[in-house]
Amino acid sequence: MADVGQAAFRNAAPRAVDGASSGGFRFSTREAIKHAVLILGALIVLLPFYVMVSYSFKAPHEIMQNTGGFFGAQELFRDDFCIKLGNAEEDCMVRPLNYNYTTAFEKAPLIRYLANGVIVTVSIFLIQVLVALPCAYALAKLRFWGREAVFGLVLFCLLIPVHAIALPLYIMLAQLGLTNSYAALIIPWTISVFGIFLMRQFFMTVPDDLIDAARMDGMSEYSIVWNVMLPTAIPALLAFGIFSVVAHWNDYFWPRIVITGNRDLFTPPLGLREFKGDADGDNFGPMMATACIIVTPLIVAFLLAQRRFIEGITLSGMK
Amino acid sequence: MSAIALEGIEKSFGATRVLGGVDLDIRAGEFLTLVGPSGCGKSTLLRILAGLEAPDRGRVLIGGAEVTGLRAAARNLAMVFQSYALYPHLTVAENMMTPLKLRDLPRAARLPVLGPLLARDRYRALRAEVDRTARILKIEPLLDRKPGQLSGGQRQRAALGRAMVRNPVAFLMDEPLSNLDAALRVHMRAELSELHRRLGTTFVYVTHDQAEALTMSDRMAVMQDGAILQTGAPEEVYADPDSLDVARFVGSPAINILPGRIDGTGGLGALGTALGRFRTTDAQKVAIGLRPEHLSLAPAGASGFEGAVRHRENLGADVFLHVDVEGIDRPVVLRTTPTETRDLAIGAAVGIDADARAALVFDETGRRLRFEAAELVRIA
């Protein structure tokens, strides 16, 4: 709008000025292109979700032949596995929707996996906060020799991909005998440089006066971190929490490495593997149903925290 | 006995020397203002006194005891900040209770939720203390609100309340009024002075606004470039400044500086007009300071100084006339009455009448020259 207005002034042509000052809705090519690109992007992102949800409703033959639209016909079909167990054919006729979602829960201990996911992500997040807040506070508000260098290292660590250090990490954990334990899932992630960085940036915006006031009131530095900085940093913490929880809830790579035998420790993404082609062939319906169940908590959490999430990302929660 | 003493305080940030050996005695119960342009080191000095900053050299004494190495909280000083620095997540009452809790309660009783249950009586005593202070400041209706719901003036009071509850040895205030609008600021000046009289506690007040220093303080210390230029009662500093910098800084509108000289016989002259004679034989260039109230309007051609009206600043009771005088870069400002200047148009030629007895004479380095006057005239 401003661009068009300025152009109109520059041209000083009455026609252009009329066009710019008509008010209300005005078609702008620039805005239209922006939105078209964004819509296209959104479609590309949403397509796999569409497929996932759709498949979780459909019968196997509909999935294979790509028929049945979004919901599938929901006709009864024969569950071959049920027949194999020696049941009569009429007992083994199932509705695709029921079949997919009940199988998801029956074939794998999905509840257990979800519980594991909660234990792991919540522990990781809490310990990350425990570490990141004092670090961020020191980097943002305390003056000490080498502070900039330490912050430089934090930035440097942001550049290291997890996969590059996965092997040494695994070996260390194996030497300590910690593989196949919650500890193996949690410990490597407890120090989050991203968390330190994000919270440090947020703490930079907290006025120094507030900290000095707390010192005058008699708070120790740790007390300042937990009683003053933490409450003011809730928006940023929520944003970080979403990053952290999403990343570790969805993580397939690391649990796949350190959880080798014990299925009781599987996290939800590992649970997906249960449906992956064994002798019976791939079983996409229940697999997609599992996937739907796994992503639902995250999507709900995001929708609930959406506003604060955006606030935290823009770091504008505080004035 | 001085309540607070600062001795030889030096402080540098990196290569920048912020304070160069400052000495200051603050008497018990006085309202002392540290005033100076921004960057003069006044806030740093206050922070060193508070214990928020450590001096590179020098000692801080409170009540005769050295506290240089002591933590801020252990000095029993209270500070009011420019941004008020209230805890945004706590109500006003909780804000005010925080310093009391930290001072009076053992660790266990400070636990959230559990603490108030364990030490109910103590909490009640603290709450009573908070209520008493709130009554003095008339902020009782605000106690359950959070700082975000308060106006600037209300936050200011809440911050004062948080400082007052602890009965500190002294209040330190770092430009507490500069975030308020003009009318409220004038009102709060009076209120702070009254509060000081009522509490009888030492106030150390930092400001860049010389008007605040003049109106509120018992004594003021004018600072510049990390040093205290002059300390004294406001009237004394205003009327009898030790240096050109102090004279320039204190007073609004600012003092008029005329280039002048003293000849070999002690004759003082400015812009070709003789102002009087001193008992001295040192011929030198001088700067002559004349405050707006020591100048008055005269008919054009009748006096030594003449110029053209450039601007008329009407304050209602007074009119400050800005007059361009040849030989000076800045317009000369003089105080007149509205009736005198009613018919003066911009650009009109006027004469200026100076009361040479009130002239402040400074040498070329800006030091005040105090000669005995043989004869000083009122130029007319």
Side-chain angles (χ1 to χ4, degrees):
Chain A
M1 271 200 187
D3 293 343
V4 177
Q6 279 167 10
F9 278 115
R10 240 177 277 126
N11 295 338
R15 190 173 42 83
V17 172
D18 283 348
S21 59
S22 58
F25 174 78
R26 213 160 35 79
F27 182 81
S28 151
T29 322
R30 209 192 168 96
E31 289 296 307
I33 292 174
K34 260 190 223 164
H35 281 86
V37 170
L38 288 175
I39 289 171
L40 192 68
L43 285 179
I44 292 172
V45 172
L46 285 177
L47 191 64
F49 282 89
Y50 173 84
V51 172
M52 176 184 80
V53 175
S54 173
Y55 280 14
S56 79
F57 294 153
K58 287 176 163 184
H61 65 273
E62 287 170 328
I63 294 173
M64 289 307 166
Q65 292 154 17
N66 204 11
T67 55
F70 180 68
F71 280 108
Q74 297 297 338
E75 285 165 344
L76 291 172
F77 74 97
R78 204 181 63 221
D79 179 3
D80 289 334
F81 187 66
C82 171
I83 304 268
K84 222 182 257 177
L85 293 178
N87 295 312
E89 185 164 341
E90 56 271 26
D91 294 335
C92 289
M93 298 305 285
V94 286
R95 293 254 172 238
L97 180 65
N98 277 348
Y99 168 76
N100 288 343
Y101 279 88
T102 48
T103 314
F105 281 98
E106 275 166 10
K107 190 166 173 189
L110 197 51
I111 298 290
R112 168 91 205 199
Y113 297 167
L114 290 171
N116 284 343
V118 171
I119 292 171
V120 169
T121 48
V122 170
S123 312
I124 289 177
F125 177 60
L126 288 183
I127 303 177
Q128 279 177 337
V129 170
L130 224 54
V131 174
L133 279 189
C135 291
Y137 173 70
L139 286 174
K141 293 295 180 191
L142 301 182
R143 286 197 300 258
F144 55 91
W145 189 85
R147 182 176 82 162
E148 297 313 309
V150 172
F151 184 59
L153 283 178
V154 168
L155 291 179
F156 176 70
C157 287
L158 277 175
L159 302 176
I160 301 176
V162 186
H163 311 86
I165 54 167
L167 195 59
L169 264 180
Y170 174 77
I171 293 171
M172 274 158 60
L173 288 167
Q175 296 279 346
L176 291 170
L178 286 176
T179 48
N180 285 312
S181 68
Y182 283 125
L185 290 170
I186 295 168
I187 289 175
W189 310 112
T190 49
I191 299 175
S192 162
V193 277
F194 175 69
I196 295 173
F197 174 72
L198 188 76
M199 296 318 293
R200 183 252 184 198
Q201 295 307 92
F202 185 83
F203 284 170
M204 294 292 278
T205 67
V206 175
D208 286 345
D209 279 358
L210 192 60
I211 294 157
D212 286 335
R215 287 188 186 134
M216 295 296 292
D217 282 350
M219 286 193 199
S220 67
E221 298 297 310
Y222 273 105
S223 176
I224 290 174
V225 172
W226 304 118
N227 295 326
V228 179
M229 300 308 264
L230 176 66
T232 60
I234 296 289
L237 267 184
L238 270 178
F240 172 58
I242 289 179
F243 276 125
S244 166
V245 167
V246 168
H248 298 295
W249 180 269
N250 289 338
D251 192 15
Y252 178 75
F253 173 75
W254 186 251
R256 181 81 182 87
I257 290 180
V258 290
I259 306 300
T260 48
N262 190 351
R263 290 193 161 198
D264 285 346
L265 292 173
F266 272 19
T267 57
L270 286 184
L272 277 180
R273 283 176 66 235
E274 307 262 322
F275 303 95
K276 173 87 184 72
D278 297 326
D280 318 332
D282 290 343
N283 203 351
F284 286 118
M287 189 181 192
M288 288 303 119
T290 311
C292 286
I293 294 164
I294 291 172
V295 298
T296 307
L298 290 188
I299 291 177
V300 170
F302 176 76
L303 291 179
L304 287 179
Q306 194 181 19
R307 201 173 59 83
R308 305 216 92 179
F309 177 63
I310 308 276
E311 266 175 16
I313 292 299
T314 53
L315 292 180
S316 63
M318 298 267 297
K319 68 171 175 78
Chain B
M1 188 197 84
S2 63
I4 298 168
L6 297 159
E7 294 176 357
I9 302 290
E10 289 178 30
K11 180 76 184 174
S12 302
F13 291 119
T16 328
R17 193 171 165 89
V18 184
L19 293 171
V22 172
D23 293 298
L24 182 65
D25 275 324
I26 301 168
R27 296 173 199 143
E30 80 172 334
F31 194 130
L32 182 111
T33 305
L34 294 170
V35 62
S38 47
C40 71
K42 56 192 189 299
S43 286
T44 308
L45 191 62
L46 191 75
R47 290 169 57 81
I48 287 173
L49 170 54
L52 295 170
E53 207 87 60
D56 295 339
R57 199 161 302 150
R59 302 199 305 157
V60 181
L61 297 103
I62 296 177
E66 176 154 3
V67 295
T68 318
L70 224 53
R71 269 170 16 97
R75 301 186 182 191
N76 194 22
L77 300 168
M79 193 149 166
V80 178
F81 296 86
Q82 181 178 355
S83 60
Y84 317 134
L86 295 165
Y87 306 117
H89 58 291
L90 300 178
T91 64
V92 171
E94 287 165 336
N95 261 291
M96 289 169 68
M97 214 189 269
T98 304
L100 292 179
K101 269 161 61 173
L102 287 161
R103 187 188 65 189
D104 296 344
L105 297 182
R107 191 170 279 272
R110 294 206 302 261
L111 289 173
V113 190
L114 214 59
L117 293 176
L118 283 175
R120 201 176 301 168
D121 289 343
R122 284 178 163 191
Y123 269 81
R124 210 168 289 151
L126 296 189
R127 180 64 204 222
E129 197 94 335
V130 167
D131 287 338
R132 203 172 50 80
T133 309
R135 237 186 333 272
I136 297 176
L137 289 169
K138 304 189 189 78
I139 53 170
E140 291 151 295
L142 309 178
L143 282 179
D144 293 323
R145 294 211 216 150
K146 295 211 169 156
Q149 300 164 299
L150 303 180
S151 69
Q154 291 170 332
R155 276 184 223 181
Q156 167 75 68
R157 271 168 221 261
L160 267 175
R162 183 176 61 179
M164 271 168 63
V165 280
R166 332 169 19 173
N167 291 322
V169 175
F171 289 95
L172 313 181
M173 305 199 179
D174 193 355
E175 313 225 1
L177 303 186
S178 46
N179 282 358
L180 300 177
D181 62 58
L184 195 55
R185 201 179 310 157
V186 173
H187 173 75
M188 282 306 286
R189 274 187 214 161
E191 211 159 283
L192 276 180
S193 299
E194 204 196 357
L195 188 69
H196 171 245
R197 275 194 296 277
R198 184 164 174 175
L199 296 175
T201 314
T202 313
F203 276 44
V204 184
Y205 188 100
V206 161
T207 180
H208 64 269
D209 182 352
Q210 51 88 30
E212 284 178 14
L214 289 174
T215 47
M216 293 193 289
S217 21
D218 296 327
R219 283 198 309 151
M220 59 194 276
V222 184
M223 289 187 70
Q224 197 167 51
D225 300 330
I228 293 181
L229 300 181
Q230 188 174 357
T231 312
E235 310 78 47
E236 183 189 323
V237 173
Y238 181 80
D240 193 16
D242 283 339
S243 67
L244 189 55
D245 288 328
V246 174
R248 275 207 171 113
F249 186 77
V250 180
S252 171
I255 194 168
N256 299 296
I257 305 294
L258 312 181
R261 50 176 302 112
I262 293 177
D263 60 27
T265 61
L268 175 68
L271 303 172
T273 306
L275 289 171
R277 193 166 297 280
F278 287 123
R279 291 189 206 284
T280 177
T281 51
D282 280 349
Q284 57 181 317
K285 274 191 178 166
V286 292
I288 301 163
L290 280 163
R291 296 210 179 265
E293 62 269 28
H294 298 134
L295 297 174
S296 52
L297 207 55
S303 74
F305 303 123
E306 269 180 43
V309 177
R310 178 168 170 179
H311 176 60
R312 196 169 164 270
E313 189 181 351
N314 190 352
L315 298 180
D318 293 320
V319 173
F320 287 102
L321 217 54
H322 297 234
V323 179
D324 280 324
V325 175
E326 208 171 315
I328 317 176
D329 302 337
R330 293 209 188 172
V332 170
V333 180
L334 57 146
R335 191 177 74 181
T336 59
T337 59
T339 37
E340 271 182 291
T341 56
R342 191 178 301 140
D343 303 325
L344 275 182
I346 303 295
V350 291
I352 298 170
D353 189 355
D355 184 355
R357 283 165 300 184
L360 306 168
V361 183
F362 304 93
D363 71 8
E364 266 186 305
T365 60
R367 224 159 27 86
R368 176 80 185 277
L369 294 173
R370 299 173 201 270
F371 298 119
E372 205 183 322
E375 103 188 83
L376 278 170
V377 288
R378 190 183 171 90
I379 305 290

